[in-house]
Amino acid sequence: MKTILLTGFEPFLDYPVNPTMRIAEELDGTSIGDYQVCTRILPVDFGKASARLIGLIREVEPDVTVSLGLAAGRFKITPERIAINVKDGAADNEGHRPVDDPIDEEAPDAYFSTLPVRGMVDALLEAGLPAEISNTAGTYLCNNVMYAGLHYAKTENPEMKSGFIHIPASHDLAIRHGKIPSWSHEDLLGGVRICLETIAGESKG
């Protein structure tokens, strides 16, 4: 079988749980179309997250790499269209706080996702789940990891598809946080599964 590497993130900032972590754990080892899903959790650490992702890609040798991230405050599932070569934002879990730093000084300014972002959105909407393409993954760890995966694919494994999907908060997180919109875990899990089914369908053959 072919392989999808699916990553989530650990909790960060003032978000005591991260729904991407639970989703990744529950999808580990499942089969979607001709693909088996292999999942891992990434650290919220500018110094380690990208290296960890690349290490996993080399270990797993996936046909597709999909990273999930929490976009607290968004109320739709949003496949990301583009990653930019900059890291900037709040401190990570280790206290690192880059300001206007390039991810890679010798690499391009941006990379477009090679996942079927429009197809994923269409499939989610057809299933009755709010979704839209996002044109900014921000400049925090989500963008950093998306960029790293696409740069690796471009320079070392052009056959590998790669990209990023942001999801809203879960009800569990929203209750603990108190000020963000949320979805049920079941809908978040189902939405991610629909995205993976779309990827598997469009990558067939």
Side-chain angles (χ1 to χ4, degrees):
M1 294 185 75
K2 297 180 180 180
T3 303
I4 295 174
L5 173 63
L6 179 71
T7 67
F9 276 110
E10 65 185 2
F12 65 104
L13 298 177
D14 58 344
Y15 307 118
V17 296
N18 192 326
T20 67
M21 190 172 180
R22 182 177 173 189
I23 289 169
E25 290 170 349
E26 292 188 12
L27 288 175
D28 190 35
T30 60
S31 296
I32 294 180
D34 296 331
Y35 292 78
Q36 184 169 36
V37 181
C38 173
T39 73
R40 297 291 189 273
I41 306 303
L42 299 179
V44 177
D45 182 338
F46 280 108
K48 296 179 180 177
S50 294
R52 170 70 171 151
L53 177 66
I54 300 310
L56 290 171
I57 291 172
R58 289 177 173 149
E59 172 192 333
V60 175
E61 298 183 342
D63 300 277
V64 181
T65 296
V66 181
S67 294
L68 301 177
L70 167 66
R74 291 189 189 178
F75 51 89
K76 298 179 180 181
I77 292 179
T78 50
E80 296 294 341
R81 193 194 302 268
I82 191 168
I84 61 173
N85 189 2
V86 65
K87 48 187 175 181
D88 184 285
D92 63 18
N93 284 354
E94 300 302 316
H96 304 137
R97 189 170 187 171
V99 177
D100 302 333
D101 291 347
I103 295 171
D104 186 330
E105 292 183 351
E106 299 181 357
D109 291 338
Y111 287 111
F112 283 103
S113 172
T114 52
L115 302 181
V117 292
R118 179 63 64 190
M120 289 189 282
V121 166
D122 288 347
L124 288 163
L125 292 174
E126 186 175 347
L129 296 174
E132 65 183 1
I133 294 174
S134 168
N135 292 310
T136 175
T139 55
Y140 197 54
L141 266 297
C142 294
N143 174 76
N144 202 155
V145 162
M146 180 182 178
Y147 186 92
L150 287 164
H151 181 66
Y152 180 88
K154 181 71 173 180
T155 58
E156 298 195 43
N157 186 3
E159 297 300 313
M160 185 186 77
K161 303 297 183 183
S162 186
F164 198 96
I165 302 168
H166 265 124
I167 66 170
S170 61
H171 292 334
D172 180 25
L173 175 55
I175 289 168
R176 298 191 198 198
H177 186 277
K179 296 181 180 179
I180 50 178
S182 62
W183 285 27
S184 70
H185 171 71
E186 291 72 23
D187 280 346
L188 289 172
L189 179 64
V192 171
R193 181 180 287 276
I194 286 170
C195 289
L196 299 183
E197 289 170 351
T198 303
I199 293 166
E202 295 204 9
S203 300
K204 206 168 186 178

